[in-house]
Structures are given as C-alpha cells and as structure tokens.
Amino acid sequence: MASVPSLASSVNQRVSDALASALPEAGGADPLLRRSDRADFQANGILALAKKAKANPRELATTVVGSIPTGDLIKDIEVSGPGFLNITVSDRAIIETLAARAGDDRLGVPYAADAGTTVIDYAQPNVAKEMHVGHLRSAVIGAAMVEILEFTGEKVVRRHHIGDWGTQFGMLIQYLLEHPHELDHKSDAEVSGEEAMSNLNRLYKASRALFDSDEEFKTRARARVVDLQAGDEQTLAMWQRFVDESKIYFYSVFDKLDMDIQDADVVGESGYNDMLVETCKLLEDSGVAVRSNGALCVFFDEYKGPDGNPTPLIVQKSDGGFGYAATDLSAVRDRVGNLKADTLIYVVDARQSLHFKMVFETARRAGWLNDGVKAVQLAFGTVLGKDGKPFKTREGETVRLVDLLDEAVERATSVVREKDKDRGFLSEQEIVENGLQVGIGAVKYADLSTSAARDYKFDLDQMVSLTGDTSVYLQYAYARIRSILRNAGDRSPVAHPELELAPAERALGLHLDQFGEVVTEAAAEYAPHKVAAYLYQLSSLFTTFYTECPVVKPEPELVVGENRLFLCDLTARTLSKGMSLLGIRTPERL
C-alpha cells in the first residue's frame, strides 16, 4: 500500500500553495510548520519571506489565510502576533488519516525515496576475551539502527568486526600446541557459552603467566606470531579453534540480548589480511601515505599531538607489522568496492573518534570515499554506575555483560511476579518469559532512550520501574491495551470520522499521526533515541486518554466506544512496531 501523508505534510502543502499564489516569487518556500500549544500547528515562515519581499508580514499572512480553503482538512486558521499562522485541523481529517494508517501493515510509514546500501559495523567483541559492559552499547545501538534503516527501505549489510588477529594469538596458540587438551569439551553435548568462556579464560591466564615468567616460551610465542601472519597451516588451524570457541560464547551472549547475529556477518580483522599489502601500496604510490622513520604514515595538519606536532595515522609500522589503520582502510575498500555501499556506519566508542576521523580522511584522499559514499562514526558515550563514574564491580573490575543481563532479568521477573501477585493472571511460564522480555527490554531501552553520544547511568532499580521513562512502562501500556481489546465484548475497533473528538482523543490522534515522520528522522540522523522519546510520549498520551475518555466502562455510546477502541488498537500497533524497531518485545499479557 502507498504511504499515508501525515496531517503536517498535508497542511504544509496547503500553506505552501497559498504562499506561492500570494507571493509568486516565494514559490516552493518552506512555511516552517511545527506543532504548537496554541493550536495544532503553527507556521512561522511568513516573517522571513515578508522581510525578503519587503512586505508587511501581518498583511501577507492575512492574504495567505484568505486563499486557504477550510472545512475538510483545516478547520480553523488565524493570524497571530507579527505574522504567525495558528492552524487547527478538523476532527474528521485526524480520524480519516489514522484510518488510512490502520489499513496498512506499515502504518502508512513511507519508504525513503533515496534508499541505498548501508554497511553498519557494530557489536565487535574480541576473540578469547570476555564481553563486558563496554560491549553493550555498540550491540544495542547498532541493532536498533539496522531495524530502523531496513524499515525505511535501506539495504543493510551487517558487519561484526571482531578482534581476531594480533600478537596475543602467538602466546595463545603456542600454549595450546604445548597443552593440546586445554580447549577440549567435557562432553559431546552442546557446549554452553559459560563453558566456552571459562575454557578461554583459563587458557588465557595460564599462557599469560607463562609468557611473563618464561623467556624461552616468550621466544617461541613470538615466533608463532610470524607463523600465523605467514599463513602456516597448523598455526591457522589452532587459531581457528580459538575463533570457534569464542563464537560459541559470543552467540550465547547475543542470544541473551535477543539479537540475531549470523555467521556470514562476522568478518573480523583477519578477514582483510589479504588486502593489507595492497592497501599500503596504493596509499604509498598515490602519495597519500609517506615513509617516516621506516613507518608508513599519513599526516594531517589539523590533528596535533600533546607536543604540538602533527599526529600521524600509522598504517604500517617500521618493523613491517600492520596496525588497526591498515585493517580499517582495507575494510573501507571492501565495503565500498565489493559490497557497493553508499553509507558506512561505525557504531564505536567516542574515545576512538580521532582514529576514525583520520581513517575517513585518508580514505577520502585515496578516493575510496567520495561524494557518492559517506562514512559516519555513530559515536557513543560511556556506561556509568549509579555514582556517575565508569561502571565497575565493587572490586574495581570491569562488569561482565552476562552478569549484568542475568541480574536485569532476575529483577524484572520479580517485578512481574509482584505485580501479578494479587491478580493471578499469569502462569509461572508466562512470568518467566515476561521477566526475560522485560529485563532485556529494560537494558536496551535505558541505552536507546539516551542520545548515543551521551554517557548514561546504569541503574537497574530505575530501569525496571513501572513508572517514568522506562521500557516496562511502555510494555505495560501495550499489554493493558491488548487487555482492553480482549475485554471489549462484541464491540470492535471502528473509525468514525463524523464524531467530534475530546481534547485527549485529539492529542493522542495527532501524536499517532507523527510516527512515520519520527522514524524517517531517526533513520536520517542515526538517532534511535528519537523513536524511544516518541513511544514514551505516546504511552503518556494514551494514559491521559484512557483516564479521561471511558472506553469499555462506563460503557460509552456505541459509535464513540468503537472509535475509542480504534484509537486503542492503533496505539497498540504503533507501540509494538516502534518497540520492535528498538529490538524490544511487547508481551501480550503482563
């Protein structure tokens, strides 16, 4: 079905047409329409246009108003102040527009006109290392952006650039060669993520202790790095064991996070090995990179180190080894050249901003990024504890991601159980399932309801609270509407455009109509928090509507009741769709 134009865009078109006829030279000018507390919308663009045309703004506004038809879409329009237009839409237009949205699986949300291919780099754990709270944001923000962009019609290629290469593997592989049973599994049954990680942890600690205390082992381990980089078969087979064991663990964590990570999308640092030499040659031959003290560097006037000298991007070290820059630049080449991306998004910690600025600028100079391809770092802030300091355990250790998710689910389950205690609606199985969806939803929403660039406090008590800006509040709003619809008896949701709407109905209806615009904005600005803010406001407006406008009891007149059930139904569908774009489930009963 075709997308449904929002009330705002329809009103905008009417005002724009009237402006063009009153002031032909203003053809196509933006009326600057926005929501207003004085009317439904206010148009502020006439002031600037009048100034440009040396006309009296209030007179121009009055002329414009005179040529705008009222009745069907616009109920009332008045000039206020120096030349603002206050516009009220008709109740009929609100319900007819919402009925068109309800008739579409996509709720009338348009596909982007300029959809292309985006490669999004997110959820990048390290092989043989445990995932901690710092890995949470990249995964959660990245997964939400994938959903939002795909919903607007973008072709999205997921990339998980895992840390699976580097000098530490020499130590790990050498230790495993000398202690071949360290990664063996207890049984042939499926291995849990916990068992895989404890194997890796144990091996990592033992090999590190030996590396630090035994010079001969250290020499063997360093030689093993050379074998790995040279592609020695036995060494690569051992390396693959570490990658496979780590994947068992990664996938178990992503599964807990209710995220679908496919094997084909995991392309780690090692995936670009074959391109590194060529990347360096291309950069050096084109003069983008130069040799400095034996290392291959790219220099920038704008990036200076603490000593005031330019900070270079080191693509190849003086000993011939390759740094992160060589891998990242090769990844850019691959994503643009082979995957045909128009947009590259990197969901990476803000502390790596300088690195990515230099990588993107280097890729531009080399011609791999151009006007047709843009690269963006979706930089995110730090997860803080309740005390406002970086989140650590009592012992000062980094918090394991698994522990944090388990605790969130545990807290959420007790909230669900407590809330159901007096009602007895839910079976034990439903309590457990809902606890899982509420707990994981709470963690994701707390992250996504803050602008990615900002730090946020990880406070589980607040996250699983039934009041305030939390996913639990939204999930309960959804479940409550589903319950209202189940209890409506023989009445069904039917739109009645002929009815006059109460203020709370109008406010809810106007907000429901904005869903498509919010999704479009969130996709264009890579800002999932805008979807979260919209959904919280939707739930708040629904609460007011439900309090002020009886839906089932006391039973309203038939058509009024049907229209209110229609508003309930569309609210539930919008909440469910919006939450799914954030990667959060909405239980039917809570």
Side-chain angles (χ1 to χ4, degrees):
M1 192 174 153
S3 64
V4 178
S6 67
L7 290 161
S9 66
S10 301
V11 169
N12 205 53
Q13 191 58 55
R14 288 274 172 98
V15 179
S16 189
D17 291 347
L19 258 173
S21 70
L23 198 67
E25 63 267 35
D30 186 354
L32 299 179
L33 194 77
R34 60 178 183 80
R35 288 297 307 275
S36 165
D37 48 8
R38 292 165 188 254
D40 295 335
F41 299 101
Q42 190 174 67
N44 301 337
I46 289 178
L47 295 170
L49 284 172
K51 193 174 177 185
K52 210 169 166 185
K54 299 193 168 44
N56 177 314
R58 204 174 160 89
E59 280 173 19
L60 178 59
T62 309
T63 310
V64 169
V65 167
S67 60
I68 294 178
T70 55
D72 58 339
L73 170 65
I74 294 172
K75 178 186 172 188
D76 188 43
I77 180 163
E78 59 171 34
V79 179
S80 87
F84 301 128
L85 301 184
N86 285 341
I87 302 164
T88 304
V89 293
S90 70
D91 292 351
R92 171 176 288 280
I94 293 175
I95 296 300
E96 281 177 347
T97 302
L98 295 183
R101 293 200 178 288
D104 177 33
D105 287 346
R106 294 174 50 81
L107 304 173
V109 177
Y111 285 108
D114 55 351
T117 300
T118 293
V119 174
I120 180 159
D121 185 327
Y122 69 107
Q124 312 104 340
N126 292 312
V127 164
K129 286 193 180 164
E130 197 140 21
M131 288 175 74
H132 55 78
V133 68
H135 290 111
L136 180 66
R137 297 207 73 183
S138 176
V140 170
I141 295 166
M145 275 320 306
V146 167
E147 295 296 331
I148 291 168
L149 288 168
E150 284 189 334
F151 187 56
T152 62
E154 188 76 3
K155 180 189 173 193
V156 179
V157 181
R158 301 154 170 82
R159 276 291 172 266
H160 308 293
H161 189 90
I162 62 171
D164 65 354
W165 204 249
T167 52
Q168 76 276 18
F169 284 99
M171 168 183 99
L172 294 169
I173 292 166
Q174 190 58 37
Y175 189 86
L176 187 59
L177 280 166
E178 294 174 17
H179 304 80
H181 299 295
E182 282 298 303
L183 284 183
D184 290 359
H185 298 140
K186 291 175 193 155
S187 71
D188 293 337
E190 198 178 330
V191 184
S192 70
E194 280 292 321
E195 186 191 331
M197 196 61 238
S198 85
N199 277 348
L200 290 163
N201 265 339
R202 191 181 59 250
L203 197 149
Y204 189 88
K205 283 178 180 153
S207 64
R208 167 56 69 187
L210 197 57
F211 187 85
D212 290 342
S213 62
D214 182 333
E215 281 303 318
E216 286 180 2
F217 176 75
K218 187 183 276 190
T219 305
R220 293 197 298 279
R222 285 187 169 147
R224 188 60 58 187
V225 177
V226 178
D227 294 340
L228 177 65
Q229 290 178 336
D232 170 67
E233 220 167 288
Q234 183 195 24
T235 307
L236 277 176
M238 286 292 172
W239 167 80
Q240 191 62 50
R241 285 191 68 187
F242 282 99
V243 174
D244 293 343
E245 193 77 4
S246 299
K247 280 185 177 176
I248 296 171
Y249 163 70
F250 295 158
Y251 293 163
S252 74
V253 179
F254 289 126
D255 199 42
K256 254 185 218 282
L257 265 170
D258 194 13
M259 266 178 207
D260 180 31
I261 302 268
Q262 296 293 333
D263 224 33
D265 303 330
V266 179
V267 182
E269 293 166 357
S270 64
Y272 305 99
N273 282 345
D274 296 347
M275 299 175 72
L276 302 179
V277 171
E278 190 186 15
T279 295
C280 291
K281 186 173 178 349
L282 289 169
L283 291 171
E284 192 168 6
D285 289 353
S286 62
V288 171
V290 294
R291 291 281 164 190
S292 173
N293 299 328
L296 186 63
C297 305
V298 183
F299 286 92
F300 309 87
D301 293 337
E302 59 269 46
Y303 307 126
K304 304 254 192 303
D307 55 3
N309 291 325
T311 302
L313 182 71
I314 299 171
V315 186
Q316 191 177 21
K317 301 172 201 161
S318 52
D319 65 3
F322 300 102
Y324 289 127
T327 308
D328 286 333
L329 286 162
S330 299
V332 170
R333 283 177 57 213
D334 175 59
R335 292 165 185 188
V336 176
N338 297 331
L339 301 176
K340 306 293 180 228
D342 325 285
T343 307
L344 307 178
I345 302 177
Y346 293 79
V347 189
V348 184
D349 190 315
R351 287 171 291 198
Q352 294 188 44
S353 291
L354 178 61
H355 170 76
F356 279 99
K357 276 180 187 156
M358 291 162 130
V359 166
F360 296 162
E361 178 55 31
T362 301
R364 262 187 220 100
R365 290 180 190 177
W368 304 327
L369 292 177
N370 51 41
D371 293 345
V373 188
K374 64 173 177 173
V376 181
Q377 183 193 356
L378 207 176
F380 54 82
T382 309
V383 181
L384 307 173
K386 280 189 197 179
D387 56 3
K389 294 177 181 155
F391 200 24
K392 296 269 196 270
T393 63
R394 286 207 182 95
E395 298 73 42
E397 298 285 314
T398 317
V399 179
R400 294 170 72 218
L401 187 49
V402 174
D403 293 344
L404 190 127
L405 299 176
D406 286 346
E407 192 182 345
V409 169
E410 203 177 299
R411 295 273 191 100
T413 307
S414 57
V415 166
V416 172
R417 182 172 275 117
E418 184 59 34
K419 177 93 172 159
D420 191 59
K421 199 167 65 179
D422 302 329
R423 304 177 309 168
F425 283 173
L426 305 175
S427 66
E428 180 58 25
Q429 187 187 349
E430 282 179 307
I431 288 173
V432 170
E433 278 176 17
N434 288 351
L436 199 61
Q437 295 183 11
V438 169
I440 297 303
V443 170
K444 288 182 178 179
Y445 187 84
D447 193 318
L448 295 168
S449 57
T450 308
S451 161
R454 291 173 53 190
D455 300 343
Y456 81 97
K457 284 186 186 173
F458 197 94
D459 179 349
L460 269 179
D461 295 328
Q462 173 53 36
M463 286 180 188
V464 297
S465 164
L466 295 167
T467 55
D469 189 2
T470 65
S471 66
V472 196
Y473 174 64
L474 306 188
Q475 286 168 320
Y476 266 102
Y478 174 78
R480 182 190 201 179
I481 301 172
R482 299 300 300 156
S483 162
I484 292 165
L485 293 166
R486 283 194 296 271
N487 296 333
D490 53 1
R491 297 189 165 206
S492 48
V494 181
H496 285 281
E498 72 279 5
L499 291 177
E500 198 174 309
L501 298 178
E505 291 174 307
R506 293 187 99 257
L508 178 62
L510 285 164
H511 192 69
L512 280 166
D513 185 51
Q514 285 180 286
F515 180 58
E517 290 173 348
V518 169
V519 171
T520 302
E521 206 175 297
E525 297 174 18
Y526 312 125
H529 68 280
K530 295 203 165 180
V531 175
Y534 169 86
L535 295 172
Y536 174 58
Q537 202 182 344
L538 179 61
S539 302
S540 306
L541 287 166
F542 178 79
T543 303
T544 308
F545 155 78
Y546 191 64
T547 308
E548 293 179 9
C549 304
V551 179
V552 180
K553 290 177 184 164
E555 197 169 298
E557 190 190 331
L558 178 65
V559 290
V560 173
E562 286 182 338
N563 199 56
R564 286 177 182 169
L565 283 170
F566 163 73
L567 286 171
C568 288
D569 186 51
L570 188 56
T571 301
R573 285 175 60 195
T574 306
L575 271 173
S576 180
K577 183 73 236 174
M579 293 288 263
S580 79
L581 294 179
L582 301 178
I584 299 172
R585 294 187 187 267
T586 38
E588 292 292 302
R589 286 153 47 98
L590 254 182

